[in-house]
Amino acid sequence: MSITRRQFLGMTGAAGAAGLVGSSVAQAQEHFTGWPDRYGVLTDLTLCIGCRKCEEACARVNDLPPPEPSPEDKSVFDEIRRTDAQSYTVVNRFPNPDPDKPPVYVKKQCMHCNEPACASACLVSAFSKTPEGAVTYNASVCIGCRYCLMACPFYIPAYEYDKALKPRVMKCTMCHDRVKEEGKLPGCVEVCPVQALTFGKRSDLIRLARERIIRNPDKYIDHIYGEHEVGGTSWMYITGVPFEQLGFNMDLGITPYPEFTRGFLSSVPLVLTLWPVFFTGVYLFSRRRNEIAKEEGDSSHEEEAKS
Amino acid sequence: MTTITGENITFIEWLQDKLFLGMSFKEYFKKLITPFNIIATLILCVGIPIAFVRFTQGLAATTNLTDNNPWGMWIGVDVLCGVALAAGGFTLGSAVYLFGMKEYHPIVRPAVLTGFLGYFFVVIGLCFDLGRPWRLPYPMFVSYGTTSVMFLVGWHVALYLSCQFVEFCPALFEWLGWKKFRKFVVGLTIGATIFGVILSTLHQSALGGLYLLAAKKLHPLWYTPFLPVFFLVSAIIGGMTMVIFESSLTHRVFSHQISLDHKKFDKLTIGLGKAAAMTLMGYFCLKVIGVAHGDHWHLLGTPMGQWFLLEVLGFVLAPCFLLVWAVRQERAGWVRFAAIWTVIGLILNRVNVSMIAFNWNLPDRYVPKWTEFAVTITIITVGVLTFRWIVNRMPILWEHPDYEPEI
């Protein structure tokens, strides 16, 4: 049986569920640089033609309703869309700053972070960063608190708000089961007619991206989005138009999101151990003060009685 | 079966004594028709059908929540404000039982009851918001997300609710006349209080800690690594000012039950006001440090910055000054006014963090649907009704003649 890192953390954690484990979890994260052979996808935005075949394929392989409106209808690009409960991936259109060049199409889906905010946020460990690179979701334990939606820096997970009985969090799985069990490519990668998407080991993809940038310095911006953002992601992008003009948040920094709560979680065992000592001390102190006051009161009464 | 005075009675008489305050059902029912109850009934007539729609049609039918704004009013108000304002239980509990400030004993039971009911109804509110509320025990028994601040909140709120129940039990058992049980739970008071302080420290701060992961979504003036400390300190303030507010209300409404004379009661109010003023000043300094730490001074001139200044100057510093003045002049009435002002400021802070400063730069802004307001108001109404039901029956505001006080 292979266990994911998160399951492992979960097991260590279960030992002292009330929070004592906060620090041990934090320590376990310290030198983890990611699963060595994890996969990813490189999106080359200079190649994408906005055909939305990836949206169609994604819906098909994931049993989602077909994209609305259909790929032939270009009016869909009039507004910027995000992923939602019916679509794991969406393609948006951004105008090219050079009016002679075609617009830029940007496919959006889960970035599959190396250290996912959603996974660190989940109170029932419904998310796992698998050794294969995908961040997967297990609806069978989800309680529907939607903290993952709150935490995700990329605004990716969506929720089935219209379901009363079994609402789920919906997001791209990088076709984890398809890749692992059937040895196939993710649906979107397989269908892309212009090879704008490349599936492979993340380390190879970074080399490939760098090669393209070095060979065509005029065509590409010298930045691989996702190489370092929020500690690195499995899904990465290269582009000819600056990322900030294509709806990418350039303000996310390179700190993995679990770091943001690590300090706080580490303080938990300190409070759990020191507060009882401190407050019991305070209680004993005030009781002693009362006893002394009472004794003094009694002895002064006695003196009064004597005199 | 015996009454408080020890007479032997039948079960029906016992029921009448306990449930209908010694009246027959008819008399009791007649007495229930009051303006307050009519309004409460109207609220429930709206709220209960909405609850039905919520649990049969889903969140989409009853809320304006979106994928970008997954937490709305039910989290921002029902949970965040509810928990902070229910902090009076642990604040007063530790003052009386641990710090030995016995003069506050007459108001500790209502504060503990407010705390217990506050948390209880927070959990009810949470059940409305959770997608699958029946899985509420999962983080305790099924699957453990130990890297999550939410995991901490879940565990601690559950444990704390139990703690508060233990602290509430003496009153419950005195009412039922179960002397042995009462003796047993009184023995647990100190332990429960200490455990309650630990749990409160952790989950009050953890509610702020939740937003540490909203790093780039929360406006930088509200987002700081100190968020957990901010939430804890402001909850202590919220707890104390809420006790001032709640006790002044109960003293008016249930005056026939209260033996404490006005002068003594005013003195307690002023004492609490003093503590609240000091803590508010500390909180104000923390807020300044928050801005300085992030070096966000330049943002104070922006519209969001002015909104931040309104919160910090208008609803932290200003009530703080009023409290200082009122305490020095021994004006209990003004302390009560400033306390309400502070409570509003605390609600403003939680609403800012959870809704107004959250996703401040997105075009997709969240505004609650009317049904969200209706559910919140319904939950508060049921909370008030429960509080009244208990206060009318159990020794909360008066001391039971048969029993020694806990301390």
Side-chain angles (χ1 to χ4, degrees):
Chain A
M1 188 188 93
S2 70
I3 53 169
T4 65
R5 170 173 161 264
R6 196 147 289 283
Q7 277 168 342
F8 168 73
L9 293 179
M11 280 185 234
T12 41
L20 270 169
V21 289
S23 64
S24 68
V25 170
Q27 274 158 17
Q29 283 172 348
E30 199 141 36
H31 298 296
F32 186 76
T33 51
W35 300 105
D37 285 332
R38 64 193 183 280
Y39 292 101
V41 177
L42 177 67
T43 309
D44 189 334
L45 298 177
T46 64
L47 299 175
C48 179
I49 52 170
C51 67
R52 292 175 64 221
K53 289 231 159 57
C54 51
E55 287 186 29
E56 237 175 14
C58 176
R60 198 173 53 243
V61 303
N62 290 299
D63 295 322
L64 297 168
E68 281 286 333
S70 72
E72 289 75 43
D73 188 347
K74 298 296 173 199
S75 73
V76 72
F77 292 124
D78 292 346
E79 56 173 333
I80 301 295
R81 297 176 300 154
R82 62 153 287 168
T83 51
D84 59 36
Q86 271 89 44
S87 34
Y88 288 169
T89 186
V90 291
V91 179
N92 282 312
R93 183 179 67 193
F94 293 88
N96 199 314
D98 184 345
D100 300 333
K101 287 185 179 166
V104 183
Y105 296 95
V106 179
K107 178 183 181 301
K108 188 177 182 150
Q109 73 298 304
C110 175
M111 299 290 283
H112 300 277
C113 302
N114 290 345
E115 294 189 50
C118 55
S120 83
C122 184
L123 82 167
V124 287
S125 260
F127 290 92
S128 321
K129 174 75 177 173
T130 62
E132 294 80 24
V135 177
T136 57
Y137 162 75
N138 172 11
S140 72
V141 292
C142 177
I143 70 171
C145 73
R146 310 186 298 284
Y147 190 24
C148 46
L149 277 72
M150 290 288 292
C152 176
F154 300 105
Y155 291 95
I156 293 301
Y159 199 66
E160 294 182 311
Y161 288 107
D162 54 344
K163 289 199 180 158
L165 287 180
K166 289 179 173 175
R168 290 168 298 172
V169 171
M170 303 295 276
K171 76 164 202 66
C172 158
T173 61
M174 213 158 85
C175 288
H176 181 252
D177 293 343
R178 235 174 96 87
V179 171
K180 201 180 169 192
E181 258 113 65
E182 302 172 42
K184 290 184 187 164
L185 287 171
C188 55
V189 177
E190 190 183 73
V191 81
C192 181
V194 290
Q195 278 85 52
L197 304 169
T198 315
F199 180 84
K201 281 188 184 153
R202 186 176 182 269
S203 47
D204 295 340
L205 292 176
I206 292 173
R207 257 193 300 278
L208 173 72
R210 199 149 284 144
E211 236 173 66
R212 284 190 194 170
I213 293 170
I214 290 170
R215 283 214 192 127
N216 309 285
D218 300 332
K219 191 177 167 194
Y220 290 101
I221 304 284
D222 186 13
H223 184 112
I224 307 170
Y225 193 93
E227 185 183 7
H228 300 298
E229 275 75 12
V230 298
T233 58
S234 271
W235 209 293
M236 293 171 293
Y237 292 84
I238 49 175
T239 176
V241 170
F243 282 113
E244 44 271 54
Q245 296 174 24
L246 303 174
F248 284 83
N249 191 344
M250 303 307 285
D251 193 29
L252 293 177
I254 57 168
T255 310
Y257 264 49
E259 290 289 315
F260 290 126
T261 50
R262 186 161 129 188
F264 173 68
L265 286 172
S266 305
S267 73
V268 172
L270 295 182
V271 172
L272 278 175
T273 46
L274 290 179
W275 255 226
V277 179
F278 177 70
F279 282 96
T280 312
V282 166
Y283 166 66
L284 293 175
F285 179 73
S286 77
R287 199 172 69 175
R288 178 172 170 274
R289 200 180 47 191
N290 286 342
E291 277 166 8
I292 291 175
K294 210 176 159 194
E295 274 170 26
E296 280 176 356
D298 289 347
S299 58
S300 65
H301 281 306
E302 279 165 27
E303 276 163 29
E304 272 169 37
K306 274 177 196 168
S307 60
Chain B
M1 302 284 165
T2 53
T3 62
I4 284 173
T5 49
E7 300 161 59
N8 281 316
I9 49 169
T10 65
F11 181 68
I12 298 291
E13 284 171 323
W14 183 82
L15 260 186
Q16 254 179 20
D17 178 51
K18 294 298 173 203
L19 298 184
F20 303 137
L21 301 167
M23 292 177 264
S24 74
F25 180 71
K26 248 186 182 169
E27 285 172 321
Y28 179 72
F29 191 77
K30 260 189 201 157
K31 256 199 111 186
L32 277 186
I33 302 169
T34 61
F36 176 83
N37 283 345
I38 291 169
I39 295 170
T41 314
L42 288 177
I43 292 173
L44 295 188
C45 286
V46 178
I48 291 169
I50 294 172
F52 181 77
V53 175
R54 152 67 190 93
F55 290 108
T56 51
Q57 313 283 309
L59 286 162
T62 40
T63 69
N64 277 344
L65 296 175
T66 61
D67 294 329
N68 286 339
N69 298 302
W71 286 356
M73 185 173 177
W74 291 344
I75 294 294
V77 176
D78 300 19
V79 175
L80 295 187
C81 296
V83 168
L85 295 176
F90 100 87
T91 316
L92 261 250
S94 46
V96 172
Y97 298 123
L98 303 182
F99 291 87
M101 298 158 85
K102 288 180 187 170
E103 65 273 27
Y104 290 91
H105 192 253
I107 53 173
V108 84
R109 273 198 181 176
V112 167
L113 177 64
T114 317
F116 171 61
L117 291 180
Y119 274 82
F120 183 78
F121 285 100
V122 161
V123 176
I124 301 286
L126 186 64
C127 286
F128 275 83
D129 187 76
L130 287 179
R132 307 195 197 195
W134 50 90
R135 286 184 175 177
L136 199 59
Y138 271 34
M140 280 113 215
F141 304 111
V142 178
S143 186
Y144 311 104
T146 47
T147 54
S148 170
V149 179
M150 186 71 95
F151 181 73
L152 195 81
V153 175
W155 264 92
H156 287 199
V157 169
L159 289 173
Y160 186 55
L161 194 59
S162 328
C163 251
Q164 294 229 300
F165 183 68
V166 169
E167 289 181 76
F168 163 68
C169 267
L172 177 69
F173 293 152
E174 285 170 23
W175 174 60
L176 293 169
W178 297 355
K179 293 194 176 169
K180 274 184 190 159
F181 288 109
R182 192 258 183 200
K183 202 180 164 203
F184 175 72
V185 288
V186 164
L188 296 177
T189 304
I190 298 293
T193 309
I194 293 177
F195 198 40
V197 174
I198 300 163
L199 295 169
S200 295
T201 307
L202 287 172
H203 72 244
Q204 293 284 3
S205 52
L207 285 176
L210 289 177
Y211 285 88
L212 290 173
L213 281 181
K216 302 294 166 183
K217 297 184 179 178
L218 191 55
H219 189 278
L221 283 171
W222 281 270
Y223 184 89
T224 107
F226 303 131
L227 261 175
V229 183
F230 284 12
F231 266 57
L232 173 63
V233 175
S234 56
I236 293 171
I237 297 165
M240 288 189 292
T241 46
M242 196 62 190
V243 169
I244 296 176
F245 171 61
E246 167 265 315
S247 63
S248 73
L249 263 187
T250 46
H251 271 244
R252 204 157 292 174
V253 179
F254 301 98
S255 54
H256 57 282
Q257 285 195 25
I258 287 161
S259 49
L260 195 67
D261 68 64
H262 280 300
K263 234 179 171 176
K264 271 191 187 151
F265 176 59
D266 282 354
K267 224 183 142 199
L268 296 187
T269 303
I270 289 165
L272 282 171
K274 197 173 175 180
M278 280 172 60
T279 324
L280 264 175
M281 189 40 99
Y283 179 60
F284 174 74
C285 295
L286 273 176
K287 290 291 261 188
V288 174
I289 287 172
V291 179
H293 181 83
D295 197 15
H296 292 137
W297 301 106
H298 62 286
L299 293 176
L300 292 176
T302 62
M304 283 306 278
Q306 280 152 13
W307 184 245
F308 177 81
L309 285 176
L310 178 77
E311 180 196 316
V312 173
L313 299 179
F315 288 89
V316 177
L317 197 60
C320 174
F321 284 153
L322 179 61
L323 276 172
V324 171
W325 174 83
V327 167
R328 296 195 71 154
Q329 302 288 318
E330 299 189 356
R331 306 281 273 277
W334 282 103
V335 171
R336 284 177 198 122
F337 177 77
I340 295 170
W341 190 351
T342 312
V343 167
I344 294 170
L346 183 108
I347 296 172
L348 177 67
N349 171 259
R350 299 304 194 259
V351 166
N352 277 340
V353 171
S354 63
M355 291 176 257
I356 296 175
F358 184 79
N359 277 344
W360 61 285
N361 51 358
L362 277 199
D364 173 19
R365 295 314 309 265
Y366 162 81
V367 179
K369 210 173 186 163
W370 72 271
T371 42
E372 288 176 77
F373 282 100
V375 166
T376 299
I377 294 168
T378 306
I379 293 174
I380 295 170
T381 308
V382 178
V384 171
L385 290 175
T386 315
F387 183 86
R388 192 186 61 174
W389 192 90
I390 293 173
V391 166
N392 270 333
R393 283 162 182 80
M394 301 182 200
I396 302 292
L397 299 172
W398 46 282
E399 285 185 20
H400 201 296
D402 291 2
Y403 300 88
E404 291 270 310
E406 294 98 315
I407 51 161

